[in-house]
């Protein structure tokens, strides 16, 4: 009980009333009614507790409602920002996924599929021993850096990429070997003709082409009639094609008629002389790069004596200097004007290039010379901006690899395999090696004597800035090592096509088993390309194609010639060099080979026709 005048606390009063009520209720119940009392009491307590819990739940619900309204208001205010952030994040993850899928280093299956399409890059006979998923790589670190660089540059604007020769002087030189004014100096009186010159040329398409034009020059030099050259059957090339199967006979004879007499066959009365080999001159009897005086002293007497001479196994047996100006010009006229591919080769070659360019025509003097197509005055709708492509002549055949005596990272299996090939195909080489001081594979590579591998060609293209999506026409024959060797190239540059993938089996059927005619299709595709890249400057096809592009390209048909010695020096630092430095050094190397030059004394006019005998400066 509280003090007088002090207010009584309500809580104790409530408790007292509850206690009194409870006692009265329990006292008034007896026996079996006790359980009922307990239920009544429990019910009251439960109601009280439930009422209290409902109050708490109601308060909690009000708080949650207030919190949700607050969050909802914030979401409405920032909705656009949230959507933008999610979109940007999604885009970044999408691009990242694409790049990872493209450049995943262990994605060998797609690369194997790519290489399976290249039916002219067939597997080597022992390629089964080398798992295609484990490519032979000599520069794995640089390949990884190249892959990263290609990914970074994928969405950047296109760089010039050597699509134009760098000197404006090159466009000042125009083709003029067909100038008929020069023919006056070479007119010969029919009565003073010294006889007939027969030629049997050896080698493949390009060696035969050189032999033809050399024979034309020799016939003019000796004041003789030229019998249309014949081609010897080779166990290497295994092609029975003759002149008329590859070139247009009548057009050839007609084009050169003012400067040299050409007939299709030897006169009947002289065939017995030829059959007895009375005036046969073999390749071994003429020195390489022979001078005019050699023909005057050794060939002309036989020609006058028997009325004919047969140059057998003829090839590169006429030097380039010194040579009379008009005879040299005749050589150019033969190579760049008179020799036209047969119509079926022109048609297939034209179709080949159209399919590379997706049927959007690129009109140029190169096209006129290669396909005999007139330059269109009005461009047809849909033929603008044709697809640009790079042609790559990859020289890495087994015979070339074996003959080089270089090491290409294939280990002991490779060394034994190449040695077996040398013993079978190059016994004279092995005999010569026994008599001379041996040179190590490392020294051969340092001096630039080793052919470029597909891996090295890939690094050069990447170093020059060619993007992953570059369309590449691959020319060449069987690649040593097959798919294993090609994987670095097909992984970084998947858009690779060949004549076999562009033409149907039916379209290729007329050329099947005729290696020279197939090589003519490669010649056309390479000569017509926007950029031509060679891996071996000593290759006849590469030399003739680059010369053709110089003659007709008007300074807009660049050729990339890697210097193998300088490239070997660059690649010797492959484990430490930074990619940016690698790019700079590769570019400088190629730019050096692209500098404007006139033909140096003694060099081939077929490869370097920029000289007064072949071209005119305007």
């Amino acid at each position: 009980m509280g003090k007088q005048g002090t207010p009584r606390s309500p809580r104790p009063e409530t408790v007292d009333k509850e206690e009194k009520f409870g006692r009265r209720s329990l006292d008034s119940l007896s026996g079996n009614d006790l359980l009922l009392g307990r239920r009544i009491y429990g019910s009251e307590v439960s109601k009280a507790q439930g009422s209290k819990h409902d109050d708490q739940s109601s308060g909690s619900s009000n708080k949650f409602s207030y919190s949700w309204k607050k969050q909802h208001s914030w979401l409405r205010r920032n909705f656009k920002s949230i959507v933008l952030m999610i979109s940007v994040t999604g885009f970044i993850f999408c691009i990242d996924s694409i790049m990872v899928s493209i450049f995943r280093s262990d994605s060998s299956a797609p690369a194997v599929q790519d290489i399976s399409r290249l039916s002219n890059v067939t597997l080597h006979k022992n390629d089964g021993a080398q798992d295609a998923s484990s490519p032979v790589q000599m520069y794995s670190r640089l390949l990884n850096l190249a892959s990263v660089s290609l990914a970074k540059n994928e969405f950047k604007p296109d760089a010039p990429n050597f699509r134009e020769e760098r000197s404006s002087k090159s466009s000042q030189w125009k083709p003029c070997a067909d100038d008929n004014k020069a023919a006056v100096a070479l007119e010969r009186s029919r009565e003073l003709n010294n006889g007939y010159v027969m030629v049997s040329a050896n080698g493949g398409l390009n060696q035969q082409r050189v032999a033809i034009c050399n024979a034309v020059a020799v016939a003019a030099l000796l004041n003789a009639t030229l019998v249309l050259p014949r081609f010897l059957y080779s166990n290497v090339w295994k092609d029975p094609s003759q002149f008329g199967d590859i070139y247009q006979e009548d057009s050839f004879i007609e084009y050169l008629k003012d400067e040299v007499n050409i007939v299709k066959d030897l006169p009947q009365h002289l065939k017995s002389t030829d059959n007895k080999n009375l005036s046969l001159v073999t390749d071994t009897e003429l020195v390489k790069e022979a001078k005019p005086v050699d023909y005057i002293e050794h060939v002309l007497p036989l020609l006058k004596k028997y009325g004919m001479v047969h140059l057998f196994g003829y090839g590169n047996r006429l030097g380039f200097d010194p040579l009379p100006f008009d005879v040299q010009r005749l050589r150019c006229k033969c190579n760049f004007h008179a020799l036209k591919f047969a119509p079926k080769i022109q048609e297939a070659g034209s179709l080949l290039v159209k399919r590379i360019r997706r049927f959007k025509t690129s009109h140029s003097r190169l096209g006129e010379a290669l396909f005999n197509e007139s330059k269109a005055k009005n461009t047809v709708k849909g033929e603008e901006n044709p697809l640009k492509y790079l042609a790559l002549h990859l020289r890495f055949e087994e015979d070339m690899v074996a003959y080089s005596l270089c090491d290409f990272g294939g280990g002991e299996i490779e060394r034994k395999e190449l040695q077996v090939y040398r013993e079978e195909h190059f016994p004279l080489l092995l005999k010569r090696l026994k008599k001379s001081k041996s040179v190590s594979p490392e020294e051969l590579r340092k001096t630039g004597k080793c052919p470029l591998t597909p891996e090295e060609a890939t690094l050069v293209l990447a170093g020059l800035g060619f993007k992953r999506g570059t369309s590449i026409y691959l020319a060449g024959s069987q690649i040593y090592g097959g798919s294993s060797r090609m994987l670095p190239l097909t992984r970084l540059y998947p858009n690779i096509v060949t004549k076999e993938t562009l033409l149907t089996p039916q379209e290729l059927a007329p050329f099947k088993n005729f290696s020279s005619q197939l090589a003519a299709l490669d010649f056309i595709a390479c000569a017509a390309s926007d950029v031509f890249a060679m891996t071996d400057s000593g290759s006849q096809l590469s030399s003739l194609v680059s010369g053709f592009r110089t003659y007709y390209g008007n300074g807009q048909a660049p050729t990339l010639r890697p210097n193998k010695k300088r490239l070997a020096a660059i690649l010797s630092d492959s484990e430490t060099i930074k990619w940016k430095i690698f790019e700079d050094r590769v570019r400088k190397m190629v730019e050096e080979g692209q500098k404007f030059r006139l033909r140096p004394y003694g060099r081939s006019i077929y490869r370097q026709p920029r000289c007064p005998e072949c071209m005119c400066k305007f």
Side-chain angles (χ1 to χ4, degrees):
M1 183 177 290
K3 293 182 181 181
Q4 188 71 26
T6 305
R8 189 182 294 270
S9 172
R11 184 174 180 81
E13 183 181 3
T14 305
V15 172
D16 290 344
K17 287 181 179 179
E18 289 175 350
E19 287 178 350
K20 288 179 182 179
F21 173 80
R23 284 173 187 153
R24 283 198 301 271
S25 299
L26 290 174
D27 290 343
S28 63
L29 297 174
S30 62
N32 294 333
D33 294 332
L34 183 60
L35 182 59
L36 181 60
R38 287 174 180 172
R39 288 174 181 169
I40 293 171
Y41 179 78
S43 176
E44 294 293 335
V45 173
S46 177
K47 286 179 181 179
Q49 290 177 346
S51 176
K52 185 177 180 181
H53 179 71
D54 289 344
D55 292 341
Q56 291 175 347
S57 298
S58 177
S60 176
S61 176
N62 290 335
K63 289 179 181 178
F64 176 77
S65 177
Y66 174 75
S67 175
W68 166 247
K69 289 178 180 178
K70 195 172 182 179
Q71 291 177 5
H72 186 64
S73 176
W74 182 85
L75 285 172
R76 281 187 298 176
R77 289 197 309 269
N78 298 279
F79 180 75
K80 291 184 179 179
S81 300
I82 294 170
V83 170
L84 179 62
M85 182 177 67
I86 293 173
S87 300
V88 171
T89 304
F91 177 75
I92 292 173
F93 274 107
C94 180
I95 293 300
D96 183 66
S97 299
I98 292 172
M99 290 298 101
V100 170
S101 65
I102 289 175
F103 297 104
R104 188 186 299 271
S105 60
D106 60 351
S107 58
S108 60
V112 173
Q113 291 174 2
D114 285 338
I115 195 66
S116 68
R117 296 187 304 107
L118 309 180
S119 54
N120 73 322
V121 186
T122 54
L123 298 181
H124 182 255
K125 60 184 179 182
N126 293 327
D127 189 51
Q130 298 175 354
D131 186 359
S133 63
S134 303
V136 178
Q137 292 183 2
M138 301 171 68
Y139 311 103
S140 298
R141 175 180 172 273
L142 275 180
L143 280 175
N144 290 334
L145 293 177
S147 179
V148 172
S149 176
L150 290 177
K152 288 180 178 178
N153 295 334
E154 189 67 20
F155 299 103
K156 290 184 178 179
D158 283 333
N161 283 339
F162 300 91
R163 293 204 186 276
E164 295 183 3
E165 291 185 359
R166 296 187 174 274
S167 176
S168 59
K169 294 180 181 179
S170 58
S171 61
Q172 297 174 2
W173 288 80
K174 308 293 182 182
C176 65
D178 61 338
D179 187 351
N180 289 328
K181 293 178 181 178
V184 177
L186 281 175
E187 285 183 354
R188 297 289 188 259
S189 170
R190 300 293 186 263
E191 292 78 15
L192 296 177
N193 192 295
N194 288 320
Y196 293 83
V197 173
M198 283 187 67
V199 170
S200 294
N202 60 12
L205 172 77
N206 303 292
Q207 290 84 356
Q208 292 165 351
R209 189 181 184 101
V210 170
I212 292 168
C213 294
N214 285 348
V216 167
V218 168
L221 190 68
L222 299 178
N223 191 21
T225 295
L226 177 67
V227 179
L228 207 64
R230 298 174 181 176
F231 302 150
L232 296 174
Y233 181 83
S234 167
N235 289 327
V236 176
W237 302 102
K238 298 180 180 178
D239 186 351
S241 298
Q242 289 301 318
F243 192 103
D245 299 314
I246 301 174
Y247 302 106
Q248 300 176 33
E249 291 182 345
D250 294 334
S251 172
F252 179 75
I253 294 171
E254 179 68 20
Y255 208 95
L256 298 173
K257 68 178 182 179
D258 292 332
E259 289 133 306
V260 62
N261 295 325
I262 303 176
V263 296
K264 291 186 178 181
D265 204 1
L266 191 68
Q268 190 65 36
H269 70 279
L270 292 174
K271 288 187 177 180
S272 59
T273 304
D274 181 45
N275 292 335
K276 295 176 183 178
N277 295 330
L278 296 177
S279 58
L280 188 71
V281 178
T282 65
D283 222 22
T284 56
E285 296 177 64
L286 286 170
V287 297
K288 189 177 181 180
E289 304 289 339
K291 294 179 173 57
V293 65
D294 296 316
Y295 286 91
I296 300 297
E297 293 179 355
H298 300 292
V299 178
L300 185 58
L302 286 174
L303 179 64
K304 288 184 174 181
K305 180 178 180 180
Y306 295 103
M308 61 89 59
V309 67
H310 189 169
L311 304 179
F312 187 82
Y314 195 66
N316 191 17
R317 285 298 183 268
L318 179 63
F320 294 99
D321 293 295
L323 203 67
F325 183 95
D326 295 321
V327 174
Q328 194 79 289
R329 175 170 289 230
L330 180 59
R331 250 176 162 179
C332 291
K333 185 173 182 178
C334 169
N335 183 52
F336 298 115
H337 295 276
L339 281 176
K340 299 287 186 184
F341 286 120
K344 68 173 184 178
I345 293 176
Q346 287 185 336
E347 291 168 9
S350 177
L351 182 60
L352 196 68
V353 174
K354 284 179 180 177
R355 285 182 178 164
I356 299 173
R357 297 192 185 279
R358 298 174 185 171
F359 289 95
K360 295 182 179 180
T361 307
S362 177
H363 298 292
S364 64
R365 285 205 66 178
L366 269 170
E368 291 179 67
L370 292 167
F371 316 129
N372 201 28
E373 294 178 350
S374 299
K375 193 171 182 179
K377 294 181 180 179
N378 298 316
T379 304
V380 179
K381 186 177 181 181
E383 293 191 345
E384 302 132 0
N385 300 322
L387 179 73
K388 294 183 182 296
Y389 74 97
L390 176 145
L392 173 63
H393 185 213
L394 197 56
R395 291 296 313 277
F396 200 70
E397 298 88 352
E398 186 175 14
D399 59 342
M400 189 173 189
V401 170
Y403 197 87
S404 71
L405 302 173
C406 297
D407 182 85
F408 299 96
E412 190 61 27
I413 294 176
E414 176 188 276
R415 283 190 284 274
K416 289 181 178 179
E417 185 177 274
L418 294 178
Q419 182 62 20
V420 170
Y421 188 92
R422 291 183 197 106
E423 291 171 357
E424 182 180 351
H425 295 87
F426 303 128
L428 294 178
L429 171 65
L430 296 179
K431 190 179 293 186
R432 191 165 66 247
L433 288 173
K434 290 179 181 179
K435 298 178 181 179
S436 59
K437 183 180 178 181
S438 61
V439 182
S440 68
E442 294 77 15
E443 188 63 27
L444 288 170
R445 187 167 296 280
K446 286 181 181 178
T447 53
K449 301 293 173 53
C450 299
L452 297 191
T453 66
E455 179 185 11
E456 290 168 333
T458 303
L459 289 172
V460 170
L461 293 179
L464 292 174
F466 286 97
K467 292 188 174 182
R468 175 181 167 82
T470 300
S471 295
I472 297 177
Y473 177 86
L474 185 62
S477 186
Q478 296 181 344
I479 300 299
Y480 174 72
S483 61
S484 176
R485 284 288 180 185
M486 288 297 295
L487 277 176
L489 180 60
T490 55
R491 279 179 175 172
L492 267 64
Y493 293 99
N495 294 340
I496 297 177
V497 294
T498 66
K499 52 186 175 293
E500 287 81 1
T501 61
L502 290 166
L503 300 177
T504 66
Q506 292 76 19
E507 291 165 342
L508 276 171
F511 311 104
K512 190 177 180 180
N513 299 324
F514 297 104
S515 60
S516 292
Q517 297 181 45
L518 289 171
L521 297 181
D522 275 341
F523 184 101
I524 290 173
C526 289
S529 64
D530 296 280
V531 180
F532 175 58
M534 63 174 73
T535 58
D536 178 31
S537 58
S539 161
Q540 281 280 22
L541 184 140
S542 293
S543 296
L544 291 174
V545 166
S546 64
F548 210 85
R549 291 166 62 80
T550 298
Y551 190 78
Y552 284 111
N554 194 34
Q556 306 298 313
T559 296
L560 310 182
R561 303 180 181 88
N563 183 308
K564 290 188 288 186
K565 185 175 180 180
R566 290 183 62 177
L567 182 61
I570 297 171
L571 293 175
S572 66
D573 299 328
S574 62
E575 294 302 319
T576 56
I577 192 171
K578 293 182 179 179
W579 182 251
K580 181 62 177 174
I581 296 175
F582 177 82
E583 286 181 317
D584 292 340
R585 293 178 68 180
V586 168
R587 280 183 173 273
K588 288 178 182 177
M589 172 191 70
V590 173
E591 286 173 359
E592 180 66 27
Q594 284 195 310
K595 284 185 177 179
F596 175 83
R597 292 182 179 91
L598 295 178
R599 181 182 74 91
Y601 184 88
R603 295 298 180 88
S604 169
I605 53 94
Y606 306 127
R607 177 178 178 175
Q608 297 175 306
R610 198 177 284 133
C611 59
E613 297 93 330
C614 292
M615 302 180 74
C616 300
K617 186 178 179 180
F618 292 93

